[in-house]
Amino acid sequence: MFIALAIITVLLAALVAGSAAKKLQKDPQVLDVIGGTVGVPDRFIPVLAALELAGAAGILIGLWLGPLGIAAAAGLVAYFVGAMIGHLRVGDTKGLAMPLVPLVLSIAVLVLRLATA
């Protein structure tokens, strides 16, 4: 079970770190969705990126420090639930796929981390 946890953790960490990088690089497509569609002010973009980077680091380090991995995975679940709510709030059902994949992976990491703790 730990091997599955490690694989999904590395995959999720790469996905989340890539998402944070796009936010920090001010990728126009990303900013258009977050700011233009969902309505998040530009000043919060670095905060969102920092949360993603903290979550990615936390789940990776959490492979060795179980409580940190659990906390980081729970934080990522909350982050992506919030993203889903943001899209639903403005009626952006076609944009739900973006936070759905990392949400499912975050839930998987949380469940596996709890199971292997």
Side-chain angles (χ1 to χ4, degrees):
M1 193 173 318
F2 184 80
I3 293 172
L5 170 64
I7 291 169
I8 296 171
T9 295
V10 169
L11 177 64
L12 177 60
L15 181 75
V16 172
S19 173
K22 286 185 177 189
K23 287 176 180 69
L24 292 173
Q25 294 168 349
K26 300 184 184 209
D27 182 289
Q29 190 175 17
V30 171
L31 295 182
D32 184 50
V33 171
I34 296 172
T37 304
V38 180
V40 175
D42 287 345
R43 70 181 182 274
F44 291 118
I45 300 300
V47 175
L48 296 176
L51 290 170
E52 288 179 318
L53 290 172
I59 60 173
L60 287 172
I61 296 168
L63 288 171
W64 294 274
L65 299 174
L68 177 62
I70 292 167
L76 286 172
V77 168
Y79 178 92
F80 290 112
V81 165
M84 298 275 298
I85 290 169
H87 283 275
L88 289 171
R89 182 182 56 83
V90 296
D92 180 32
T93 54
K94 67 179 179 178
L96 285 176
M98 284 187 282
L100 182 60
V101 171
L103 173 60
V104 170
L105 291 174
S106 298
I107 292 168
V109 168
L110 179 58
V111 168
L112 289 170
R113 184 68 269 191
L114 286 168
T116 58

